[in-house]
Amino acid sequence: MKILAKIPALSAVLVLGLAALVGCSDGSDPAPVAPPEVTPEEVPDPNLVIVEPGEDFQRRLIEAFINVEPGQTIELPAGEYALDAQLSLDVDNVTVRGQGQGETLLDFGTQVSGGESILVTSNNVVLEDFAVIDAPSDGIKFKFSNGVTLRSMRVEWTCGACEENGAYGLYPVQTKNVLIEDCEVIGASDAGIYVGQSDKIIVRRNRVSLNVAGIEIENSTDSDVYDNIAENNTGGILVFDLPNLSVDGARARIFDNTIRDNNTPNFAPAGNIVGVVPAGTGILAMAFDDVEIFGNRIENNQSMAVAIVSYDISGLTTNDVTYDPDPRRIHVHDNLYSNNAYAPADLALDVAGLFAGLDGLPEVVYDGLGEAEGAFADADRICVAEKDSVRLGVVFQPGGGGASIDPAFFNCAHASLTAVELDTPEEIAQGERPLTDDEIAALCTPEGAGPNFDATEVSCRELAGYNLFADALEPRAAANAGVGYELTSALFTDYASKYRFIFVPEGLQAAYNEQNVFDFPVGTIIAKTFTMPNDFLNAASGEVIIETRLMIHRRDGWATLPYIWREDGSGADLTVAGGRRSLEWIHSDGSTRSTEYVIPDANSCKTCHGVTRAETGSGVNTETVNLPIGPKARFLNRDRQYGDATKNQLAHMADEGILVGLPADLAAIDTAPDWEDVSKPLESRVKAYLDINCAHCHSPGGFASNSGMFTEFWREVNATYGVCKPPVAAGAGSGGLQYGLVPGNADASIAVFRMNSNEPNVRMPEIGRSIIHDEAVELVRNWLNSLSGGCD
């Protein structure tokens, strides 16, 4: 035992063991000895990205949205967090989850950048269990996404029903396979839940209140809207089909909803299409085909329970020759009605006056405008099958007859529409093993004097990692094997100067394109450095180098990387979350100006650079890619100084071996002029400016394609260009105006109003500037006022 005493642990084990063998002294069996408790070590879930509360929350949240990988979940903490910048997500197969729509609140009341508070442009994304509060423009927008899930979300404007609120709460547009369930939206000045130009949509079990439109399905196909509560809106549930868009609205089922007390006065900003909705409207179907409305409880809506109308009732006109303004194949049946149409507040038709003297105001109203020249064929009729106690009315009967409440007009039926079945999202393909930090650092350590093309598949922490310039601290000149270029008409960014270079891997060429951006080979790097002169009247005063943006053509498309220069000029660092820079300068008019210059985050670049892969006009193309904006023939066809020689830029690129397919006759290229060159025709200068500053979004494949307004230089100036074209989903951006461009009246033109504003929910472009481009506003104003004709 003396030996055992020197080994206490072993002694204890042996003693316990002997005790177990011999038993207790009283002869009873010993009590079992419990093994010591061992707390298992927690293993972090590699697919969970937790954003903790605390200091610098916004930056860490933005970085989480940018750096998240496919298959991961971003978890938000409980609490209320003030954000002043847009959140943008561009990664497939991601879930963003809070702790509950009443527990995790993202307050965007002080937001100063971005057109939406949350923007998603990727596929198979789920947002759930958090709230977006007081968005200055749109709350949550999905664009070009296949696989949209919004679950148990809340978007609210705390002002209530106020005109200055943002336009849309939940806003998928040009998307596919949309599921919106168990959400709440309060206070949208256009639509609480808006799904536009999309396909395969389910909107269920949501609550919408104090919006102009509670739920709106616009120019979309195959929608099911059911088990929702729409109350205290101006209009409960709307289905619209508008002109000059790429998708015709068709096939919507609205069923088993509770639609009550939708009597809030219409507070949409003047000029918006929802401004025609009378307060007290339960369900409104305008110009839509194949709508089935059934099983709904519709009560206490003062104007009408169900309205079925033509686009012509809005008083707006269109030159879209393919557009049918009339609703067809509408089937209303088996709904429950109570206390509707008791005090109509009509904006477009005096329903009370038209039906005066008849036996009560109709609860279901059809304007009949589409049948003025003759009744629809049976296959297209408006059919209503309700209890005899439900009052039905047609305002204008076929052949010129007046208002009627004869239910026989609606005595027909259509086959039931089939239920919407969402596609199962495709599984995200397993990518290659991600590189380690050490491997990335090794790739970003350049060797030799040329560009470091070996690093193009990774994102170097410092701009110097790509070895683009002979002097790593001087990005304005002496590019290593890069070709400098200037545009005939430059894009405006707060009066910043820009230095542009294209780097094409040796032996590879870009392909010329007559209208679109050149087709650059994989491995191409385009660098653009932004600077601000200290004094526009004195070049010798120097300039501040602000940022260098790279576009790198990788195997899977163009990557966008923002590098911010340190204030001491010692280098530029990758800053995916973007940033701000306080700038002050002496302007060309001698005044001192200043601004908080905004450097966009990496995902925001897609707002301008993102386009559909194929511009088919189908309206639903869920795959988007980034593309450069400036390198197009019409902007590059100009002379530039190369060393001691002056040479055409396109010819120089061809001679350098980086461009093939260039036509022999450069003079035949349709070239956009310098918008500041007063020797050129005024309209040509305006078109050049609107092209380089607007057409990357306002084109059939661009981010603003749903607007139906396209401003490429080569387009004819007509309704498609924006002349006398009513706005689409403009919200407060319409400024109470009716048309995009009004000949002879710049002050009546929405384009001028938006260019001349710096409000986040109004200004155009939405991002890329923090101040108004006064000279451009004056240019467009002078052009419009020089025209004649108006929009009457």
Side-chain angles (χ1 to χ4, degrees), residues 567-583:
E567 293 196 22
D568 64 1
S570 60
D573 302 304
L574 178 64
T575 314
V576 294
R580 309 256 170 83
R581 188 76 175 269
S582 297
L583 297 174

Side-chain angles (χ1 to χ4, degrees), residues 433-486:
R433 176 186 66 82
L435 298 177
T436 66
D437 290 343
D438 288 343
E439 289 169 331
I440 293 173
L443 284 172
C444 294
T445 302
E447 298 178 359
N452 183 13
F453 290 114
D454 290 340
T456 54
E457 290 296 325
V458 299
S459 301
C460 297
R461 293 183 180 276
E462 296 186 18
L463 178 64
Y466 295 104
N467 204 38
L468 301 179
F469 303 97
D471 180 351
L473 304 184
E474 178 47 84
R476 297 170 291 183
N480 290 332
V483 175
Y485 69 97
E486 299 172 12

Side-chain angles (χ1 to χ4, degrees), residues 393-412:
V394 55
V395 179
F396 302 109
Q397 297 181 74
S404 169
I405 58 170
D406 185 353
F409 179 88
F410 301 99
N411 188 16
C412 56

Side-chain angles (χ1 to χ4, degrees), residues 168 170 172 190-196 203 212-220 225 235-242 273-274 277 286:
Y168 302 100
L170 304 177
D190 195 300
I193 297 175
Y194 171 102
V195 185
V203 179
V212 174
I215 298 171
E216 181 176 349
I217 306 297
E218 185 175 282
N219 288 77
S220 293
V225 180
I237 299 178
L238 281 56
V239 285
F240 277 9
D241 188 50
L242 301 180
I273 187 67
V274 293
V277 178
M286 184 173 75

Side-chain angles (χ1 to χ4, degrees), residues 4-27:
L4 292 178
K6 295 180 181 180
I7 314 175
L10 178 60
S11 174
V13 171
L14 291 176
V15 169
L16 288 172
L18 289 171
L21 288 172
V22 302
C24 299
S25 59
D26 61 1

Side-chain angles (χ1 to χ4, degrees), residues 92-410:
D92 293 343
N93 196 26
V94 167
T95 296
V96 182
R97 178 182 302 138
Q99 305 305 310
Q101 59 175 261
E103 300 298 323
T104 300
L105 285 70
L106 304 183
D107 187 340
F108 290 86
T110 59
Q111 181 180 341
V112 295
S113 64
E116 298 80 29
S117 291
I118 298 180
L119 172 65
V120 179
T121 55
S122 46
N123 300 329
N124 195 23
V125 169
V126 179
L127 304 184
E128 60 186 10
D129 292 316
F130 64 94
V132 169
I133 307 298
D134 288 334
S137 184
D138 304 318
I140 301 172
K141 182 176 182 177
F142 281 76
K143 176 82 171 181
F144 297 139
S145 301
N146 189 353
V148 174
T149 300
L150 289 156
R151 179 181 295 120
S152 193
M153 296 292 295
R154 177 163 62 95
V155 176
E156 180 175 358
W157 285 270
T158 54
C159 176
C162 299
E163 182 176 334
E164 58 268 27
N165 293 349
Y168 302 100
L170 304 177
Y171 181 21
V173 63
Q174 290 183 303
T175 55
K176 189 174 183 178
N177 292 300
V178 177
L179 174 62
I180 303 175
E181 61 183 9
D182 303 312
C183 298
E184 183 171 14
V185 184
I186 302 169
S189 65
D190 195 300
I193 297 175
Y194 171 102
V195 185
Q197 300 179 58
S198 297
D199 179 49
K200 293 188 177 179
I201 301 152
I202 294 177
V203 179
R204 65 189 179 195
R205 301 194 306 271
N206 303 286
R207 181 183 292 269
V208 287
S209 60
L210 294 178
N211 310 285
V212 174
I215 298 171
E216 181 176 349
I217 306 297
E218 185 175 282
N219 288 77
S220 293
T221 52
D222 296 305
S223 305
D224 272 359
V225 180
Y226 63 94
D227 287 344
N228 301 284
I229 297 176
E231 59 186 354
N232 297 317
N233 306 283
T234 301
I237 299 178
L238 281 56
V239 285
F240 277 9
D241 188 50
L242 301 180
N244 298 110
L245 299 176
S246 55
V247 178
D248 295 327
R251 298 181 303 280
R253 299 195 310 161
I254 303 172
F255 62 99
D256 295 347
N257 301 283
T258 297
I259 305 165
R260 64 191 177 207
D261 300 309
N262 291 288
N263 303 312
T264 296
N266 195 310
F267 60 97
N272 288 272
I273 187 67
V274 293
V276 305
V277 178
T281 299
I283 299 173
L284 175 62
M286 184 173 75
F288 217 91
D289 294 345
D290 296 296
V291 181
E292 186 175 10
I293 301 169
F294 62 98
N296 300 286
R297 178 178 294 276
I298 312 173
E299 54 191 21
N300 300 326
N301 302 287
Q302 68 181 68
S303 292
M304 58 202 80
V306 179
I308 304 161
V309 300
S310 168
Y311 175 77
D312 292 338
I313 200 174
S314 69
L316 301 174
T317 59
T318 178
N319 65 347
D320 184 349
V321 296
T322 66
Y323 176 65
D324 181 4
D326 304 315
R328 298 173 188 269
R329 298 180 298 281
I330 311 296
H331 191 192
V332 183
H333 63 94
D334 299 308
N335 299 283
L336 297 176
Y337 300 80
S338 174
N339 193 37
N340 298 288
Y342 57 85
D346 303 291
L347 300 184
L349 286 174
D350 179 12
V351 172
L354 290 167
F355 287 91
L358 301 178
D359 187 17
L361 299 176
E363 294 175 276
V364 179
V365 178
Y366 169 48
D367 66 8
L369 290 175
E371 302 187 61
E373 302 299 324
F376 286 158
D378 287 346
D380 287 344
R381 287 182 60 188
I382 309 302
C383 304
V384 182
E386 301 287 19
K387 294 179 179 179
D388 291 343
S389 59
V390 178
R391 303 182 303 278
L392 316 180
V394 55
V395 179
F396 302 109
Q397 297 181 74
S404 169
I405 58 170
D406 185 353
F409 179 88
F410 301 99

